[in-house]
Amino acid sequence: RVTSATVMKTFCGRANPATGALDWVEESEEYDYHQEIARSCYADMLHDHDRNEKYYQGIRAAVSRVKARGEKVIVLDIGTGTGLLSMMAVTAGADYCYAVEVFKPMADAAFRIVKKNGFSDKIKIINKHSTEVTVGLDGDMQTRANVLVTELFDTELIGEGALPSYEHAHLNLVQAGCEAVPHRATVYAQLVESEQLWSWAQLQPMEVDGRKLLPPPAVSHCAGAHSVCDIQLSQVPPHHFTPLGPLCTMFSVDFSKPVSSAPQSHSSSFPAQSSGRAQVVLSWWDIDMDPSGSIVCSMAPSWTYPDPQSAPWRDHWMQSVYFLPVERRVAEGEELSLTTTSIEAPPCRPCCVCQAHLVWTRTRFGELNDRQRTQSYVRALRSVIKPDSVCVGVSDGSLLPIFAHMLGAKKVFSLENSGMLKQVIEQVLNANSMRGVQILGIRPDQLSSTDLAGEQISVLIGEPYFSTSLLPWHSLYFWYCRTALARLLTPNATILPCSATLCMVAVEFQDLWRIRAPCGTCEGFDVGPMDEMVQQSLDFRESHEAEPQPLWEYPCRALTQPRAVMTFDFLQCVPEQPIRCQGSLPFTRRGRCHGVALWMEYQLNDDIKVSMGLTRPVSEEGACEWSLHRKQGVYFFRSPWESSGDGRASVSYSFTFEPSIGDIKMDFTVASQ
């Protein structure tokens, strides 16, 4: 941070679509927490009625048990957020609540919410980390609590430092024998074989014109990234994986008793249910709100429910996917075991040593392993590669230059600005004994005729993919690369892809709308101050921009026809003047429009197009199928629009491509004719 007597600034990393680099931009001191609030899951959590209801039931039961012992009910609420759980406790009969919240903007909102609901005399907001809270006459708490209420969990249950917080609370903040809500948590895991999920973990062999391209041994034998892959597992259909064992109970934690944060291992043994390849472990957890286990809040995916439609949706807690270090063949009946540790303790945790798992995301692995996609690029390359072709590839960690070499190009160069990506691609070349691709660790604007051994570029290729891109149109950096290389192109050079098109469709989300929708009243409590806080942060910048979302995880219905709204001609250099377009898109289906989905499509040649959004036509009912590999852009409307589907209402749009910054500014309005 840079400070002076009157101003405080912060430097923030931001992708620059015009340069492909991560720029450090000076922002006001408010930027950090506005970003935190705007992109938080507070609204999603408050819209999670199943979670709220189960917590309320558990709190009422705990308060009743303490009152039955003839004691005053003193509640400690760690991670209070809006103060919702503390207000539930007071309403249930608690005598006093200490509500701890470390994030100051949230603590301020909780203070206003508690006051607005008339609980200021019974709830004290403490803006500290729970491990800094003191007890005593001059302390934050006058006395230790006998009811402990917490919401410290993440997708892995204890990944947010829950165990140290519980350990400290039992030692310093609550009475022995306290009642905890939730009372218990249990973690489950299941070993499966899944071609779709495993494609996110390892580079697989691929075929190019009858020749095999093999992954480097260092990559194939690498344990991979140690971080969890959290996804909406409900959107991975059961036919996309084969269970090799039962759902195992890995471990349980009783939060009403002293908790240890020391490393612990837990194992579960079982005979293999069927033969197959052990590749992936699926995991989720549930919490018992009371000692009897009669109030359960489960994170299980929807396909475990007798009626999948009855499964509660939530995005603040999802399911976990873990990849085995290497796949292993197992035989039916073979005795197997799964082991988990409560913290990331070496030497058991996976650790990438090949570098590929450090520079390629899981979805990028999936994209590289997509056979249909590979075939599209190979067919397009085959149509332009000639024996005298001089090819240059511009994309991060791309295999296209290798494909061009395998298809017979005379010379192939690949520009890799990242040293680690350069080493990964060199590993692929060495594993396949290829010497015909030269990897240059320079930017396009630095490339000279000398680097090309005096040659001119006859074929410029890109996917395009750049690791700094967040939104779909950030990959237009390829256009800037093409412009920088114009001086080195032959007069009739082939550019692949030859153009890009920005597409849009107005949609009704099944559930994703909850992350941006105001809450108003939650379980009978007015949480309006939180809505105001979130909207203020969105107005700071975010509500005027689209945000990246992997829409394959979030079902939606198209309420309009998809439309191509802007096309960018890569055969020409980037223009100096802005490109603008505007129009309107009529609603053709009945529904509730929450916003607009945006994506890019690339025209590789006259015949072949690849989509980074919709992968097949929208169904008659409006069902959409999205690419698994790229995030799409979502522009949320401030309030939803009810569409009658008769074409009388439409979404009006305005797009401006600003060449100076490489970004697209957009605006949408919905109106009836």
Side-chain angles (χ1 to χ4, degrees), residues 521-573:
T521 300
C522 179
E523 310 303 327
F525 303 100
D526 186 344
V527 293
M530 192 217 67
D531 291 337
E532 295 165 11
M533 178 187 72
V534 171
Q535 192 57 56
Q536 231 179 12
S537 291
L538 287 168
D539 288 342
F540 185 75
R541 177 175 297 149
E542 300 302 325
S543 64
H544 307 294
E545 299 177 353
E547 61 183 74
Q549 294 286 355
L551 292 186
W552 73 269
E553 293 187 61
Y554 305 110
C556 63
R557 286 178 59 243
L559 300 182
T560 66
Q561 295 302 315
R563 175 173 293 181
V565 291
M566 290 187 95
T567 296
F568 309 94
D569 184 1
F570 295 161
L571 300 182
Q572 307 297 321
C573 291

Side-chain angles (χ1 to χ4, degrees), residues 179-249:
E179 300 282 347
V181 182
H183 173 77
R184 181 189 306 107
T186 305
V187 174
Y188 305 94
Q190 185 169 38
L191 181 67
V192 304
E193 174 183 347
S194 172
E195 183 176 351
Q196 176 188 329
L197 296 176
W198 185 244
S199 73
W200 298 351
Q202 297 288 356
L203 188 63
Q204 297 170 358
M206 55 191 73
E207 191 168 302
V208 179
D209 247 23
R211 296 175 58 188
K212 283 278 189 184
L213 183 68
L214 300 174
V219 177
S220 300
H221 299 148
C222 180
H226 69 272
S227 58
V228 65
C229 176
D230 55 341
I231 63 171
Q232 291 283 355
L233 204 51
S234 296
Q235 300 309 312
V236 179
H239 65 267
H240 281 194
F241 60 88
T242 302
L244 300 179
L247 184 64
C248 300
T249 300

Side-chain angles (χ1 to χ4, degrees), residues 464 476 478-479 482 495 497-500 568-573 602:
L476 288 175
F478 177 78
W479 202 7
R482 176 258 183 270
I495 312 295
C498 59
S499 67
F568 309 94
D569 184 1
F570 295 161
L571 300 182
Q572 307 297 321
C573 291
Y602 297 101

Side-chain angles (χ1 to χ4, degrees), residues 269-324:
S269 298
F270 55 90
Q273 291 180 341
S274 60
S275 299
R277 294 172 297 163
Q279 298 171 324
V280 177
V281 176
L282 312 180
S283 180
W284 57 86
W285 48 268
D286 60 32
I287 43 180
D288 294 325
M289 294 298 182
D290 66 326
S292 69
S294 60
I295 309 169
V296 181
C297 186
S298 175
M299 304 309 120
S302 62
W303 36 258
T304 65
Y305 284 70
D307 175 16
Q309 297 301 317
S310 68
W313 183 87
R314 46 180 69 95
D315 203 45
H316 53 101
W317 294 326
M318 291 188 276
Q319 295 80 39
S320 301
V321 174
Y322 300 93
F323 303 100
L324 298 188

Side-chain angles (χ1 to χ4, degrees), residues 611-622:
S611 173
M612 303 303 161
L614 289 175
T615 56
R616 62 178 57 187
V618 173
S619 75
E620 191 173 326
E621 296 77 23

Side-chain angles (χ1 to χ4, degrees), residues 92-406:
D95 294 282
Y96 202 79
C97 290
Y98 296 101
V100 181
E101 175 56 51
V102 68
F103 186 43
K104 189 175 189 310
M106 197 68 245
D108 292 343
F111 180 85
R112 295 196 300 274
I113 290 170
V114 165
K115 182 177 181 180
K116 189 167 190 177
N117 286 274
F119 294 113
S120 295
D121 60 332
K122 290 205 169 184
I123 299 175
K124 179 182 180 181
I125 306 297
I126 303 172
N127 180 207
K128 286 184 176 182
H129 193 283
S130 65
T131 56
E132 298 172 345
V133 171
T134 57
V135 179
L137 292 178
D138 298 321
D140 301 305
M141 300 171 60
Q142 293 293 296
T143 183
R144 289 188 178 222
N146 51 16
V147 173
L148 175 60
V149 177
T150 57
E151 209 282 56
L152 300 171
F153 313 118
D154 66 358
T155 294
E156 290 186 283
L157 179 68
I158 57 176
E160 285 190 357
L163 292 185
S165 297
Y166 272 111
E167 184 175 44
H168 177 270
H170 276 285
L171 287 172
N172 301 282
L173 306 177
V174 299
Q175 301 173 17
C178 78
E179 300 282 347
V181 182
H183 173 77
R184 181 189 306 107
T186 305
V187 174
Y188 305 94
Q190 185 169 38
L191 181 67
V192 304
E193 174 183 347
S194 172
E195 183 176 351
Q196 176 188 329
L197 296 176
W198 185 244
S199 73
W200 298 351
Q202 297 288 356
L203 188 63
Q204 297 170 358
M206 55 191 73
E207 191 168 302
V208 179
D209 247 23
R211 296 175 58 188
K212 283 278 189 184
L213 183 68
L214 300 174
V219 177
S220 300
H221 299 148
C222 180
H226 69 272
S227 58
V228 65
C229 176
D230 55 341
I231 63 171
Q232 291 283 355
L233 204 51
S234 296
Q235 300 309 312
V236 179
H239 65 267
H240 281 194
F241 60 88
T242 302
L244 300 179
L247 184 64
C248 300
T249 300
M250 297 307 299
F251 67 92
S252 291
V253 183
D254 187 338
F255 297 123
S256 295
K257 298 177 181 177
V259 173
S260 172
S261 62
Q264 297 180 42
S265 292
H266 308 272
S267 294
S268 181
S269 298
F270 55 90
Q273 291 180 341
S274 60
S275 299
R277 294 172 297 163
Q279 298 171 324
V280 177
V281 176
L282 312 180
S283 180
W284 57 86
W285 48 268
D286 60 32
I287 43 180
D288 294 325
M289 294 298 182
D290 66 326
S292 69
S294 60
I295 309 169
V296 181
C297 186
S298 175
M299 304 309 120
S302 62
W303 36 258
T304 65
Y305 284 70
D307 175 16
Q309 297 301 317
S310 68
W313 183 87
R314 46 180 69 95
D315 203 45
H316 53 101
W317 294 326
M318 291 188 276
Q319 295 80 39
S320 301
V321 174
Y322 300 93
F323 303 100
L324 298 188
V326 291
E327 71 175 12
R328 180 192 150 188
R329 290 210 164 270
V330 299
E332 184 176 355
E334 181 181 350
E335 195 66 24
L336 304 174
S337 68
L338 291 174
T339 300
T340 182
T341 55
S342 60
I343 66 167
E344 297 175 344
C348 300
R349 74 172 186 179
C351 182
C352 177
V353 294
C354 73
Q355 299 190 81
H357 298 92
L358 302 179
V359 294
W360 283 335
T361 63
R362 292 186 172 96
T363 50
R364 179 60 172 161
F365 269 102
E367 187 169 50
L368 293 171
N369 288 324
D370 186 327
R371 297 184 186 91
Q372 185 175 345
R373 172 186 172 278
T374 296
Q375 289 170 6
S376 294
Y377 279 99
V378 169
R379 282 192 292 116
L381 286 169
R382 190 187 296 118
S383 71
V384 300
I385 297 294
K386 298 177 176 60
D388 62 347
S389 293
V390 176
C391 299
V392 170
V394 181
S395 279
D396 287 353
S398 176
L399 301 179
L400 294 196
I402 298 177
F403 296 168
H405 169 68
M406 297 173 75

Side-chain angles (χ1 to χ4, degrees), residues 339-653:
T339 300
T340 182
T341 55
S342 60
I343 66 167
E344 297 175 344
C348 300
R349 74 172 186 179
C351 182
C352 177
V353 294
C354 73
Q355 299 190 81
H357 298 92
L358 302 179
V359 294
W360 283 335
T361 63
R362 292 186 172 96
T363 50
R364 179 60 172 161
F365 269 102
E367 187 169 50
L368 293 171
N369 288 324
D370 186 327
R371 297 184 186 91
Q372 185 175 345
R373 172 186 172 278
T374 296
Q375 289 170 6
S376 294
Y377 279 99
V378 169
R379 282 192 292 116
L381 286 169
R382 190 187 296 118
S383 71
V384 300
I385 297 294
K386 298 177 176 60
D388 62 347
S389 293
V390 176
C391 299
V392 170
V394 181
S395 279
D396 287 353
S398 176
L399 301 179
L400 294 196
I402 298 177
F403 296 168
H405 169 68
M406 297 173 75
L407 291 168
K410 181 177 79 170
K411 288 188 178 180
V412 180
F413 302 88
S414 180
L415 306 188
E416 290 289 357
N417 193 35
S418 160
M420 290 179 68
L421 276 170
K422 181 174 181 287
Q423 291 178 40
V424 170
I425 299 301
E426 286 172 344
Q427 287 184 63
V428 177
L429 292 170
N430 293 334
N432 291 274
S433 301
M434 291 183 183
R435 301 290 179 265
V437 180
Q438 188 173 348
I439 313 295
L440 303 176
I442 54 178
R443 300 191 311 269
D445 61 323
Q446 298 172 319
L447 188 68
S448 68
S449 179
T450 303
D451 297 315
L452 301 176
E455 300 275 10
Q456 281 193 299
I457 303 166
S458 60
V459 181
L460 179 65
I461 56 178
E463 300 188 29
Y465 172 84
F466 302 100
S467 55
T468 55
S469 297
L470 297 176
L471 289 159
W473 44 94
H474 289 174
S475 58
L476 288 175
Y477 173 55
F478 177 78
W479 202 7
Y480 290 84
C481 296
R482 176 258 183 270
T483 303
L485 295 170
R487 57 197 161 76
L488 298 173
L489 298 175
T490 61
N492 59 347
T494 296
I495 312 295
L496 188 155
C498 59
S499 67
T501 301
L502 175 66
C503 303
M504 66 169 276
V505 64
V507 297
E508 174 187 53
F509 283 110
Q510 182 175 304
D511 295 296
L512 188 64
W513 60 271
R514 302 171 197 270
I515 70 172
R516 293 289 168 267
C519 296
T521 300
C522 179
E523 310 303 327
F525 303 100
D526 186 344
V527 293
M530 192 217 67
D531 291 337
E532 295 165 11
M533 178 187 72
V534 171
Q535 192 57 56
Q536 231 179 12
S537 291
L538 287 168
D539 288 342
F540 185 75
R541 177 175 297 149
E542 300 302 325
S543 64
H544 307 294
E545 299 177 353
E547 61 183 74
Q549 294 286 355
L551 292 186
W552 73 269
E553 293 187 61
Y554 305 110
C556 63
R557 286 178 59 243
L559 300 182
T560 66
Q561 295 302 315
R563 175 173 293 181
V565 291
M566 290 187 95
T567 296
F568 309 94
D569 184 1
F570 295 161
L571 300 182
Q572 307 297 321
C573 291
V574 176
E576 294 183 1
Q577 299 302 316
I579 301 174
R580 295 184 174 88
C581 79
Q582 59 185 25
S584 62
L585 201 50
F587 287 106
T588 55
R589 295 182 184 88
R590 182 185 297 273
R592 201 170 201 221
C593 183
H594 297 109
V596 172
L598 303 122
W599 69 98
M600 299 293 280
E601 293 182 352
Y602 297 101
Q603 197 72 41
L604 302 186
N605 60 18
D606 291 342
D607 305 316
I608 301 172
K609 180 169 65 177
V610 292
S611 173
M612 303 303 161
L614 289 175
T615 56
R616 62 178 57 187
V618 173
S619 75
E620 191 173 326
E621 296 77 23
C624 301
E625 188 171 304
W626 300 95
S627 168
L628 300 176
H629 312 312
R630 300 280 181 108
K631 290 184 178 180
Q632 293 72 44
V634 177
Y635 187 105
F636 286 100
F637 296 153
R638 181 163 294 193
S639 57
W641 178 271
E642 299 293 341
S643 163
S644 60
D646 57 8
R648 294 182 181 179
S650 61
V651 180
S652 296
Y653 57 83

